[in-house]
Amino acid sequence: MTRIDDIPPAWDERTQLTTFLDYARGTALAKCEGVSAENARKALLPGSPLMTLSGLINHLRWVEYYWFQVIFLGEEDHGPWTDEDPDREMRIAVDFPLAQLLDAYAEQSARYRELVAAAPLDQRAETVRKGLRVDLRWILLHLTEETARHNGHLDILREMLDGTTGP
């Protein structure tokens, strides 16, 4: 498996924050390298029927959408989830080829890199959530934490699927 380096090319705050988010994104993509379409859809954890490689990648994609577009930019929420099915993005992921999900996540990440590059880290979100208007810095930290946490799930699933371990 290959992934980008976590050493930033510069030591300013923005570069460090974006490097770590990109490192976590790259790790998620690397965990899916060489996985068959069939294996990407397998739920291997008895207590977690939505926990598939496809489901996790689709979840990461839609989590970034939610935080950048809905919360930060204040756009209307067009995510796949509903009140009745709040985890729908994970459920529907098995209906799409893994390659399509990975491409969509990578393309979206590129767009969000541009958005982040153009906005001040102190810029507050347009949407109030839980009584707060978080800033872009917080969103980057949150997304890094969320992606890194799910990389642990991807690690476990990948090892269970075919024995592959590593970064």
Side-chain angles (χ1 to χ4, degrees), residues 7 10 15 20 37 47 61 76-77 80 82 89 92 96 108-109 125 140 146 163 167:
I7 304 298
T15 303
F20 269 96
R61 172 188 169 212
E76 189 174 335
D77 187 354
T82 65
E89 77 279 8
I92 65 172
F96 300 92
Q108 178 181 273
S109 296
L140 291 169
E146 173 100 5

mmCIF file of all heavy atoms in Angstrom, residues 7 10 15 20 37 47 61 76-77 80 82 89 92 96 108-109 125 140 146 163 167:
data_model
loop_
_atom_site.group_PDB
_atom_site.id
_atom_site.type_symbol
_atom_site.label_atom_id
_atom_site.label_comp_id
_atom_site.label_asym_id
_atom_site.label_seq_id
_atom_site.Cartn_x
_atom_site.Cartn_y
_atom_site.Cartn_z
ATOM 1 N N ILE A 7 4.741 14.513 6.455
ATOM 2 C CA ILE A 7 5.627 15.651 6.730
ATOM 3 C C ILE A 7 5.222 16.803 5.802
ATOM 4 O O ILE A 7 5.270 16.674 4.577
ATOM 5 C CB ILE A 7 7.109 15.288 6.483
ATOM 6 C CG1 ILE A 7 7.514 14.070 7.316
ATOM 7 C CG2 ILE A 7 8.006 16.492 6.767
ATOM 8 C CD1 ILE A 7 7.415 14.259 8.811
ATOM 9 N N ALA A 10 5.843 22.787 4.377
ATOM 10 C CA ALA A 10 6.130 24.043 5.084
ATOM 11 C C ALA A 10 5.551 23.901 6.489
ATOM 12 O O ALA A 10 4.727 23.018 6.743
ATOM 13 C CB ALA A 10 5.501 25.221 4.356
ATOM 14 N N THR A 15 -0.609 24.705 6.311
ATOM 15 C CA THR A 15 0.046 23.595 5.627
ATOM 16 C C THR A 15 0.068 22.357 6.510
ATOM 17 O O THR A 15 -0.168 21.241 6.032
ATOM 18 C CB THR A 15 1.471 23.991 5.196
ATOM 19 O OG1 THR A 15 1.395 25.160 4.367
ATOM 20 C CG2 THR A 15 2.149 22.871 4.427
ATOM 21 N N PHE A 20 -2.007 16.937 7.165
ATOM 22 C CA PHE A 20 -2.510 15.811 7.950
ATOM 23 C C PHE A 20 -3.860 15.322 7.448
ATOM 24 O O PHE A 20 -4.112 14.119 7.440
ATOM 25 C CB PHE A 20 -2.544 16.141 9.442
ATOM 26 C CG PHE A 20 -1.266 15.754 10.120
ATOM 27 C CD1 PHE A 20 -0.257 16.674 10.315
ATOM 28 C CD2 PHE A 20 -1.058 14.447 10.539
ATOM 29 C CE1 PHE A 20 0.937 16.317 10.920
ATOM 30 C CE2 PHE A 20 0.137 14.071 11.136
ATOM 31 C CZ PHE A 20 1.131 15.006 11.325
ATOM 32 N N ALA A 37 -14.477 -5.729 -6.071
ATOM 33 C CA ALA A 37 -15.800 -5.133 -5.875
ATOM 34 C C ALA A 37 -16.596 -5.940 -4.856
ATOM 35 O O ALA A 37 -17.285 -5.379 -3.999
ATOM 36 C CB ALA A 37 -16.539 -5.053 -7.207
ATOM 37 N N GLY A 47 -21.740 -7.224 14.490
ATOM 38 C CA GLY A 47 -22.523 -6.160 15.108
ATOM 39 C C GLY A 47 -22.602 -4.883 14.306
ATOM 40 O O GLY A 47 -23.227 -3.906 14.732
ATOM 41 N N ARG A 61 -16.653 10.559 2.310
ATOM 42 C CA ARG A 61 -16.986 11.527 1.259
ATOM 43 C C ARG A 61 -18.121 12.443 1.712
ATOM 44 O O ARG A 61 -18.043 13.661 1.600
ATOM 45 C CB ARG A 61 -17.372 10.776 -0.002
ATOM 46 C CG ARG A 61 -17.921 11.664 -1.076
ATOM 47 C CD ARG A 61 -18.476 10.856 -2.229
ATOM 48 N NE ARG A 61 -19.213 11.720 -3.107
ATOM 49 C CZ ARG A 61 -20.267 11.328 -3.787
ATOM 50 N NH1 ARG A 61 -20.684 10.091 -3.730
ATOM 51 N NH2 ARG A 61 -20.891 12.173 -4.568
ATOM 52 N N GLU A 76 -27.725 24.279 1.256
ATOM 53 C CA GLU A 76 -28.779 23.336 1.598
ATOM 54 C C GLU A 76 -28.208 21.918 1.606
ATOM 55 O O GLU A 76 -27.364 21.578 0.779
ATOM 56 C CB GLU A 76 -29.911 23.435 0.578
ATOM 57 C CG GLU A 76 -31.139 22.655 0.962
ATOM 58 C CD GLU A 76 -32.299 22.892 0.008
ATOM 59 O OE1 GLU A 76 -32.345 23.942 -0.645
ATOM 60 O OE2 GLU A 76 -33.157 21.995 -0.068
ATOM 61 N N ASP A 77 -28.681 21.104 2.541
ATOM 62 C CA ASP A 77 -28.178 19.738 2.687
ATOM 63 C C ASP A 77 -28.857 18.819 1.678
ATOM 64 O O ASP A 77 -30.056 18.576 1.753
ATOM 65 C CB ASP A 77 -28.448 19.247 4.110
ATOM 66 C CG ASP A 77 -27.811 17.907 4.411
ATOM 67 O OD1 ASP A 77 -27.240 17.283 3.494
ATOM 68 O OD2 ASP A 77 -27.887 17.479 5.578
ATOM 69 N N PRO A 80 -27.373 12.053 1.291
ATOM 70 C CA PRO A 80 -28.250 10.898 1.092
ATOM 71 C C PRO A 80 -29.014 10.474 2.345
ATOM 72 O O PRO A 80 -29.933 9.670 2.269
ATOM 73 C CB PRO A 80 -27.290 9.802 0.641
ATOM 74 C CG PRO A 80 -25.987 10.173 1.252
ATOM 75 C CD PRO A 80 -25.964 11.688 1.267
ATOM 76 N N THR A 82 -31.421 10.483 5.755
ATOM 77 C CA THR A 82 -32.766 10.946 6.097
ATOM 78 C C THR A 82 -32.933 10.791 7.606
ATOM 79 O O THR A 82 -32.123 10.133 8.265
ATOM 80 C CB THR A 82 -33.854 10.105 5.389
ATOM 81 O OG1 THR A 82 -33.795 8.763 5.884
ATOM 82 C CG2 THR A 82 -33.684 10.117 3.870
ATOM 83 N N GLU A 89 -25.836 6.834 3.732
ATOM 84 C CA GLU A 89 -24.666 6.898 2.853
ATOM 85 C C GLU A 89 -23.838 5.620 2.937
ATOM 86 O O GLU A 89 -23.223 5.207 1.963
ATOM 87 C CB GLU A 89 -23.805 8.135 3.146
ATOM 88 C CG GLU A 89 -22.917 8.057 4.367
ATOM 89 C CD GLU A 89 -23.613 8.337 5.691
ATOM 90 O OE1 GLU A 89 -24.857 8.466 5.730
ATOM 91 O OE2 GLU A 89 -22.907 8.435 6.708
ATOM 92 N N ILE A 92 -26.169 2.660 1.080
ATOM 93 C CA ILE A 92 -26.269 2.697 -0.384
ATOM 94 C C ILE A 92 -24.931 2.502 -1.080
ATOM 95 O O ILE A 92 -24.887 2.257 -2.280
ATOM 96 C CB ILE A 92 -26.936 3.995 -0.883
ATOM 97 C CG1 ILE A 92 -26.075 5.215 -0.560
ATOM 98 C CG2 ILE A 92 -28.353 4.113 -0.334
ATOM 99 C CD1 ILE A 92 -26.555 6.520 -1.178
ATOM 100 N N PHE A 96 -22.726 0.848 -5.525
ATOM 101 C CA PHE A 96 -21.804 1.512 -6.446
ATOM 102 C C PHE A 96 -20.474 0.769 -6.470
ATOM 103 O O PHE A 96 -20.024 0.252 -5.446
ATOM 104 C CB PHE A 96 -21.561 2.958 -6.007
ATOM 105 C CG PHE A 96 -22.800 3.788 -5.955
ATOM 106 C CD1 PHE A 96 -23.537 3.912 -4.782
ATOM 107 C CD2 PHE A 96 -23.259 4.434 -7.091
ATOM 108 C CE1 PHE A 96 -24.689 4.671 -4.735
ATOM 109 C CE2 PHE A 96 -24.407 5.194 -7.057
ATOM 110 C CZ PHE A 96 -25.129 5.308 -5.878
ATOM 111 N N GLN A 108 -13.722 15.120 -4.980
ATOM 112 C CA GLN A 108 -14.295 16.048 -4.017
ATOM 113 C C GLN A 108 -13.197 16.625 -3.122
ATOM 114 O O GLN A 108 -13.182 17.823 -2.840
ATOM 115 C CB GLN A 108 -15.339 15.323 -3.179
ATOM 116 C CG GLN A 108 -15.959 16.177 -2.109
ATOM 117 C CD GLN A 108 -16.948 15.380 -1.315
ATOM 118 O OE1 GLN A 108 -18.102 15.303 -1.689
ATOM 119 N NE2 GLN A 108 -16.511 14.780 -0.227
ATOM 120 N N SER A 109 -12.267 15.789 -2.690
ATOM 121 C CA SER A 109 -11.164 16.257 -1.854
ATOM 122 C C SER A 109 -10.369 17.344 -2.565
ATOM 123 O O SER A 109 -9.954 18.326 -1.941
ATOM 124 C CB SER A 109 -10.241 15.088 -1.477
ATOM 125 O OG SER A 109 -10.924 14.152 -0.681
ATOM 126 N N ALA A 125 -18.103 29.289 10.236
ATOM 127 C CA ALA A 125 -19.087 28.600 9.409
ATOM 128 C C ALA A 125 -20.348 29.450 9.297
ATOM 129 O O ALA A 125 -20.687 30.212 10.203
ATOM 130 C CB ALA A 125 -19.428 27.252 10.027
ATOM 131 N N LEU A 140 -11.196 21.453 9.839
ATOM 132 C CA LEU A 140 -10.058 20.662 9.366
ATOM 133 C C LEU A 140 -9.596 19.668 10.434
ATOM 134 O O LEU A 140 -9.312 18.501 10.126
ATOM 135 C CB LEU A 140 -8.905 21.573 8.961
ATOM 136 C CG LEU A 140 -9.136 22.412 7.704
ATOM 137 C CD1 LEU A 140 -8.045 23.458 7.550
ATOM 138 C CD2 LEU A 140 -9.218 21.523 6.482
ATOM 139 N N GLU A 146 -11.917 12.443 12.255
ATOM 140 C CA GLU A 146 -12.940 11.530 11.731
ATOM 141 C C GLU A 146 -12.329 10.549 10.726
ATOM 142 O O GLU A 146 -12.579 9.348 10.772
ATOM 143 C CB GLU A 146 -14.048 12.343 11.060
ATOM 144 C CG GLU A 146 -15.074 11.517 10.345
ATOM 145 C CD GLU A 146 -16.349 11.301 11.126
ATOM 146 O OE1 GLU A 146 -16.493 11.866 12.209
ATOM 147 O OE2 GLU A 146 -17.200 10.563 10.627
ATOM 148 N N GLY A 163 -5.998 -10.319 4.605
ATOM 149 C CA GLY A 163 -4.747 -10.405 5.345
ATOM 150 C C GLY A 163 -3.795 -9.246 5.134
ATOM 151 O O GLY A 163 -2.729 -9.210 5.735
ATOM 152 N N PRO A 167 0.500 0.494 6.370
ATOM 153 C CA PRO A 167 0.091 1.895 6.526
ATOM 154 C C PRO A 167 -1.228 2.225 5.961
ATOM 155 O O PRO A 167 -1.978 1.993 5.313
ATOM 156 C CB PRO A 167 1.173 2.680 5.815
ATOM 157 C CG PRO A 167 2.265 1.746 5.496
ATOM 158 C CD PRO A 167 1.763 0.369 5.698
#
